Amino acid sequence: MPPKAGPPEADPEARHDSAGRRALAALKPRSVAGQVFLLQLVVVLLLITTAVVALVIQDRNRAIREAGDRSLVAAEAFANAPGTAEAMTSDDPTAALQPHAETVRKQTGVDYVVALSPYGFRWTHPDPDQIGKHVSTTYDQALEGEPHQTTFDSSLGKAVDSTVAVFDEKGTVVGLVTVGVTVNTVTSVVRHQVPVILTAGGVALLLAAGGSALVSGRLRRQTRGLGPVEMTRMYEHHEAVLHAVREGVLILDGDGRLLLVNDEARRLLALPPQAEGRPVTALGLSPALAGLLGSGQAATDQVFLAGDVLLAVNVRPVGQRAGSVATLRDTTELRALAGRADVAGGRLQLLYEASTRIGTTLDMQRTAEELTEVAVPRFADFATVELVESVLLGEEPTGPRTEMRRTAAGGIRDDAPLHPVGTLMRYVPGNPVTIGMTTGRPVLVADLAAADGWRAQDPERAQRVIDYGIHSMISVPLRARGQFLGVVEFWRSEQGPFEPDDLSPAEELAARAAVCVDNARRYTREHTTAVTLQRSLLPGSLPELSALEVGHRYLPAQAGVGGDWYDVIPLPGARVALVVGDVVGHGLHAAATMGRLRTAVHNFAALDLPPDELLGHLDELVTRIDQDAEAQGKIDAVTGATCLYAVYDPVSGRCVLGRAGHPGPALVSPDGSVTFPDIPVAPPLGVGGGLPVETADLRLAADSRLVLYTDGLIEARGRDIDVGLGMLGEALAGTDGATPDETCRAVFDALLRTKASDDVALLVARTRLLDPEQVAEWEVPDDPAAVSGIRAEATRRLESWGLGGSVFTTELILSELVTNAIRYGASPITLRLLRDRDSLICEVGDGTSTSPHLRRAHVTDEGGRGLFLVAQLSRRWGTRYTDRGKIIWAEQSLDAAAAVDMSVLLMADL
């Protein structure tokens, strides 16, 4: 079975080759500095090798010369030494010369000293075995008297041999001296100098490595850490990108010469083939463009015309006089697209502004004005709005009508000959407005001069409009929830004529405005309903009283009607109740709740309850209303209602006040000083929890002004209540001698310069005191016999008042009331007669709290008809309770027309 094929790495030889390649790749330097260092290493090693070789060769030559010189000197010295010639001529030259030769050899460091006979036989030798043997070498030159040197390879290495002749006194050669020196004996210099050479080479290598490291660091800083491979790849990529981008790129030096240009820039600028290296001003460009490029100054999207191409040029300088880089972009098509985009963007911005600026209020006229303000001048030069009459009144629209009221008009100038605001417009058939109402679509009239239907509406005014310069218009119906509300017309005079593309934004504007107009219409309807309800619940006119002179004001809130109310209620005994209340909130619920509370106060006041008891009953009523609403699942609670109730007695000048969560009154004294009396405050109505209400008792001088108000007068957004009270005091201080109505006007002018965010009720009452001559009082003894005397005194007082015609009726009333007090009451018993403006009041008080009740007596009854007579003879009667008992009172009218026909009364079935 053949072996399975595997990857190359599975083969041992392949693995070996791969490992070798990886080792070579690891040894191969990647950086420029590494390659420089490798080159330096090779150079240093080559220099070291060359130096060593040269040194060795030089040392060998020197050693050969030195060996020759040493051997020659030793040979001549030995030959010329005294006794050498005599020893050679002796009988035994060996014995005489051998010791001296060895001594010289050892002392001079030569390898051998050999003495020879003239015939070549050795007399001496370091090896005694060689003595006496013949040397085959010829020494003719030495025998002739010239030293003979020979270089040869011996067993000890290369050696130098010097031979000289020895002469006797006669000049005859008596022998030869041969001295040999090996070259290795004198080559020790090389051994001493090689370490120095190697050390110097190592130092050179270290310096080369350090220099390479410095160069490598600087190169990496300049190349931002990129190696040669990365820089090469980056250059290739940049070169590809430079010529592939759709923008032209030019690189210039500090002198304005073109260093580099890509293909797109060549095409856009139509540059010559050899443009690099030439000044940019010599490339045939326009002077403005060449000046910008040559200046090296920064520029952003400056537009230049290069032939038929519109270029957007950007220039960025590089360093200080290092040159600049310029980019060119063809904006010819983009400019056209940008123009259309600007138009679309302008329309979107127009619609956005319409959504934020139209409908800021719930006022139809203001909404129509906002529509004209948004449209002019961005969309039209003039704009007009007409609304149906029923829409302006807040009623439901009943369909398209050719009669509408011009509600708003705006334009770039105020002298346009268009119909003014308030004009009732009646559109004829064929008019663009009529066509738009019929079709429900906008109508474009590009040329008003040629629009016969529009000119037929009012030919004279139409000609004036055309002469004025208005040349086109768009009419758009205002429709909301499928109902026709009105129409808006857009007119142009200075702008170009309207085009079909303008119909869409015109329709959008009208649609947004129509919704806002419909909201305002519905609010107007609701507001009218609420105002009608509130006006019906507030007092229409206040009664004329002898006790007080009253002025009043009511200002609805900006958001609509609210729950503030006031009232002036006449009470028995010429007294008057002043009421000011507030129900938190706005709208129909607040107005309805206010009406319920006002009715309840009237009912409680009819019982002649004091302020503390009245407010207590009112608190229970509000609590019960809240409980009923909660039981029915309603959220319309009355929590937050406040009230101030005051009772003023013009006889004594006494004023009793109580308040439940309501601001206290202001008091203006007759001398003009303003104070804010300290009135104990109880919790607001509905949250009192049955707590008693405390009252304050004031004594008011005549011509004092008591000012009652709601919190909307002194409280405002961004204004503290103490600041409001200070402003109120200052306003009242400046009204010295003013009537109550003038006081109300001054206070409103000072504190309510703008539309109030909360409704405001203000009541100013100037106090009066009854003349003591108009009051008569008697203490009645607890004796029936005293009735006649009291009746006589009362008759005399009536006659002194000139009321003789009322004597008989008054005698009947006071006789019945005094008799009942004596019979059923307790002491003390009092009688008081009050003469008011148009009435006479008879009051009988006693010390019991038992109240009489009117009933019809049977035919057989002997009594029980007294109160019936009192009720028939008086305009009204009743009972009020005091701290010490009760008072039965009866009020007669002094009007002659209201006098009782006694004959009819006597004939009645009593």
Side-chain angles (χ1 to χ4, degrees):
M1 182 177 181
K4 295 182 179 179
E9 291 76 2
D11 187 2
E13 295 183 1
R15 289 199 299 271
H16 179 73
D17 294 341
S18 178
R21 286 194 297 270
R22 287 197 297 271
L24 290 176
L27 293 176
K28 183 179 180 180
R30 297 178 180 273
S31 64
V32 175
Q35 294 175 3
V36 171
F37 175 72
L38 181 59
L39 178 61
Q40 291 175 343
L41 177 61
V42 172
V43 171
V44 171
L45 291 177
L46 182 60
L47 292 175
I48 293 174
T49 303
T50 303
V52 172
V53 171
L55 181 62
V56 170
I57 295 173
Q58 182 182 4
D59 185 66
R60 179 58 58 93
N61 295 331
R62 183 197 59 78
I64 292 174
R65 290 193 302 271
E66 185 177 351
D69 293 341
R70 185 181 297 183
S71 64
L72 179 60
V73 170
E76 289 179 348
F78 190 81
N80 296 319
T84 300
E86 288 81 3
M88 288 184 176
T89 60
S90 66
D91 295 335
D92 191 2
T94 300
L97 296 174
Q98 179 68 16
H100 293 289
E102 288 300 314
T103 301
V104 171
R105 181 182 67 82
K106 293 178 181 179
Q107 289 181 354
T108 59
V110 298
D111 292 308
Y112 59 88
V113 176
V114 178
L116 300 173
S117 69
Y119 304 104
F121 292 98
R122 297 184 182 96
W123 286 331
T124 62
H125 198 279
D127 185 5
D129 294 338
Q130 299 295 325
I131 296 175
K133 293 182 178 181
H134 185 267
V135 180
S136 58
T137 306
T138 61
Y139 299 102
D140 295 340
Q141 185 179 355
L143 293 175
E144 293 176 356
E146 293 291 333
H148 174 74
Q149 285 188 333
T150 305
T151 302
F152 60 95
D153 294 325
S154 67
S155 59
L156 297 177
K158 187 175 288 293
V160 178
D161 183 277
S162 297
T163 304
V164 297
V166 178
F167 298 95
D168 59 6
E169 295 178 353
K170 298 178 179 181
T172 304
V173 175
V174 292
L176 299 169
V177 177
T178 301
V179 178
V181 179
T182 59
V183 175
N184 292 335
T185 305
V186 295
T187 58
S188 59
V189 176
V190 175
R191 291 193 299 271
H192 294 293
Q193 292 183 355
V194 166
V196 177
I197 294 174
L198 294 178
T199 302
V203 172
L205 287 176
L206 290 177
L207 293 176
S212 299
L214 292 176
V215 171
S216 176
R218 184 164 185 176
L219 286 175
R220 286 193 173 274
R221 286 194 299 271
Q222 292 179 349
T223 61
R224 302 182 183 274
L226 299 178
V229 177
E230 291 83 358
M231 291 180 64
T232 301
R233 186 179 298 113
M234 179 181 292
Y235 174 77
E236 294 173 350
H237 291 172
H238 287 185
E239 186 73 11
V241 171
L242 183 66
H243 294 285
V245 294
R246 293 289 303 275
E247 288 190 359
V249 179
L250 298 95
I251 301 178
L252 303 100
D253 62 10
D255 297 328
R257 293 182 176 274
L258 185 62
L259 300 179
L260 181 64
V261 59
N262 69 344
D263 297 339
E264 183 68 10
R266 290 182 186 276
R267 184 187 67 84
L268 294 175
L269 298 177
L271 296 177
Q274 303 299 329
E276 289 85 346
R278 299 170 59 182
V280 71
T281 54
L283 298 178
L285 306 178
S286 64
L289 178 56
L292 174 64
L293 296 176
S295 67
Q297 297 179 355
T300 301
D301 287 339
Q302 291 195 15
V303 180
F304 295 91
L305 186 62
D308 297 334
V309 180
L310 196 63
L311 297 178
V313 180
N314 294 272
V315 180
R316 291 295 180 271
V318 181
Q320 296 291 336
R321 298 294 299 172
S324 59
V325 177
T327 61
L328 313 173
R329 186 173 65 256
D330 187 354
T331 61
T332 307
E333 296 182 0
L334 293 177
R335 183 69 57 167
L337 293 175
R340 293 193 291 271
D342 289 342
V343 174
R347 291 176 177 175
L348 289 177
Q349 182 66 24
L350 177 66
L351 296 179
Y352 172 76
E353 291 187 7
S355 64
T356 57
R357 293 176 54 187
I358 299 177
T360 58
T361 66
L362 290 174
D363 181 82
M364 280 182 287
Q365 182 172 357
R366 180 55 191 157
T367 301
E369 291 173 353
E370 290 171 344
L371 172 57
T372 62
E373 292 171 358
V374 169
V376 176
R378 299 188 58 178
F379 182 70
D381 295 322
F382 300 92
T384 55
V385 180
E386 292 91 46
L387 297 179
V388 179
E389 288 279 4
S390 59
V391 173
L392 288 172
L393 297 176
E395 301 174 359
E396 287 287 343
T398 57
R401 293 190 177 184
T402 57
E403 292 185 356
M404 291 177 288
R405 182 77 61 180
R406 177 151 292 179
T407 310
I412 57 176
R413 294 190 299 273
D414 297 331
D415 56 347
L418 300 172
H419 289 283
V421 174
T423 305
L424 182 62
M425 307 294 295
R426 295 182 175 88
Y427 291 102
V428 299
N431 190 285
V433 175
T434 306
I435 297 174
M437 288 189 296
T438 304
T439 61
R441 303 293 301 171
V443 178
L444 167 64
V445 181
D447 186 4
L448 290 175
D452 296 335
W454 174 77
R455 295 172 64 93
Q457 175 75 32
D458 189 346
E460 182 180 353
R461 185 177 292 273
Q463 188 60 43
R464 290 166 53 195
V465 169
I466 295 173
D467 294 340
Y468 185 79
I470 298 177
H471 50 74
S472 64
M473 62 93 73
I474 292 179
S475 174
V476 189
L478 297 174
R479 301 180 64 86
R481 298 183 299 108
Q483 299 291 330
F484 177 78
L485 305 177
V487 67
V488 55
E489 298 101 350
F490 302 106
W491 313 80
R492 282 187 178 178
S493 60
E494 297 185 0
Q495 301 183 44
F498 285 111
E499 299 177 354
D501 289 343
D502 295 319
L503 290 175
S504 178
E507 194 171 12
E508 287 286 342
L509 283 174
R512 294 173 187 266
V515 173
C516 297
V517 169
D518 188 57
N519 291 338
R521 179 197 63 78
R522 298 168 69 180
Y523 170 77
T524 300
R525 182 185 60 186
E526 298 294 334
H527 181 72
T528 302
T529 303
V531 169
T532 302
L533 173 62
Q534 187 186 42
R535 294 300 183 186
S536 65
L537 297 176
L538 288 174
S541 60
L542 298 180
E544 294 184 4
L545 305 170
S546 58
L548 298 170
E549 180 185 359
V550 179
H552 58 90
R553 286 289 188 281
Y554 174 77
L555 180 65
Q558 186 176 6
V561 299
D564 288 15
W565 57 284
Y566 61 91
D567 210 341
V568 178
I569 305 174
L571 296 178
R575 295 172 302 125
V576 180
L578 303 175
V579 192
V580 174
D582 184 8
V583 177
V584 175
H586 299 89
L588 292 176
H589 170 68
T593 303
M594 176 269 292
R596 298 172 71 178
L597 295 182
R598 179 170 177 260
T599 302
V601 170
H602 267 272
N603 293 332
F604 292 141
L607 300 176
D608 210 347
L609 298 177
D612 53 346
E613 294 185 21
L614 186 143
L615 292 177
H617 287 299
L618 204 60
D619 179 70
E620 294 178 0
L621 173 64
V622 173
T623 302
R624 189 161 55 251
I625 292 174
D626 288 344
Q627 292 174 351
D628 293 343
E630 183 178 357
Q632 298 175 8
K634 299 179 180 179
I635 60 174
D636 298 336
V638 191
T639 302
T642 63
C643 183
L644 186 149
Y645 187 81
V647 175
Y648 174 68
D649 186 354
V651 176
S652 62
R654 178 170 178 256
C655 183
V656 182
L657 303 95
R659 61 180 178 137
H662 201 85
L667 180 62
V668 183
S669 301
D671 59 0
S673 61
V674 180
T675 59
F676 292 90
D678 185 13
I679 310 298
V681 60
L685 301 175
V687 296
L691 296 176
V693 178
E694 299 184 21
T695 61
D697 199 334
L698 304 179
R699 295 289 177 174
L700 304 182
D703 290 332
S704 298
R705 281 172 289 169
L706 189 64
V707 181
L708 283 67
Y709 52 88
T710 57
D711 56 359
L713 180 68
I714 58 175
E715 291 183 0
R717 184 176 302 173
R719 186 177 70 191
D720 190 71
I721 186 173
D722 293 334
V723 177
L725 289 174
M727 295 175 62
L728 176 60
E730 293 177 0
L732 292 174
T735 59
D736 188 20
T739 65
D741 192 70
E742 293 171 348
T743 303
C744 291
R745 185 182 305 111
V747 169
F748 266 41
D749 292 343
L751 275 74
L752 301 175
R753 295 186 177 93
T754 59
K755 190 71 172 179
S757 58
D758 192 10
D759 47 348
V760 179
L762 176 64
L763 191 64
V764 178
R766 183 196 295 274
T767 60
R768 297 170 179 162
L769 292 177
L770 292 181
D771 192 335
E773 293 297 326
Q774 296 178 264
V775 183
E777 294 187 75
W778 294 275
E779 292 286 340
V780 180
D782 190 7
D783 183 2
V787 175
S788 59
I790 292 298
R791 186 167 55 241
E793 292 183 12
T795 299
R796 285 193 294 271
R797 178 55 65 93
L798 292 176
E799 290 176 349
S800 67
W801 287 344
L803 301 178
S806 301
V807 170
F808 179 72
T809 304
T810 304
E811 286 182 344
L812 289 177
I813 292 174
L814 68 87
S815 296
E816 178 62 27
L817 296 181
V818 171
T819 301
N820 286 342
I822 295 173
R823 179 179 297 178
Y824 304 108
S827 297
I829 301 173
T830 60
L831 170 64
R832 186 173 72 168
L833 294 178
L834 299 176
R835 181 185 177 184
D836 203 356
R837 297 175 57 188
D838 61 347
S839 62
L840 177 63
I841 304 170
C842 177
E843 297 180 344
V844 177
D846 64 79
T848 65
S849 59
T850 303
S851 176
H853 296 282
L854 179 65
R855 66 182 182 86
R856 181 177 290 276
H858 296 288
V859 177
T860 57
D861 290 342
E862 295 183 358
R865 297 176 177 83
L867 286 180
F868 180 79
L869 288 173
V870 172
Q872 295 296 319
L873 295 175
S874 61
R875 182 163 56 187
R876 54 179 182 159
W877 71 282
T879 305
R880 74 171 183 270
Y881 297 93
T882 65
D883 297 338
R884 295 180 296 174
K886 66 176 183 297
I887 295 177
I888 309 298
W889 58 271
E891 180 179 332
Q892 304 175 64
S893 175
L894 298 181
D895 188 0
V900 179
D901 190 349
M902 296 301 300
S903 61
V904 175
L905 181 61
L906 293 174
M907 295 300 296
D909 185 5
L910 301 179

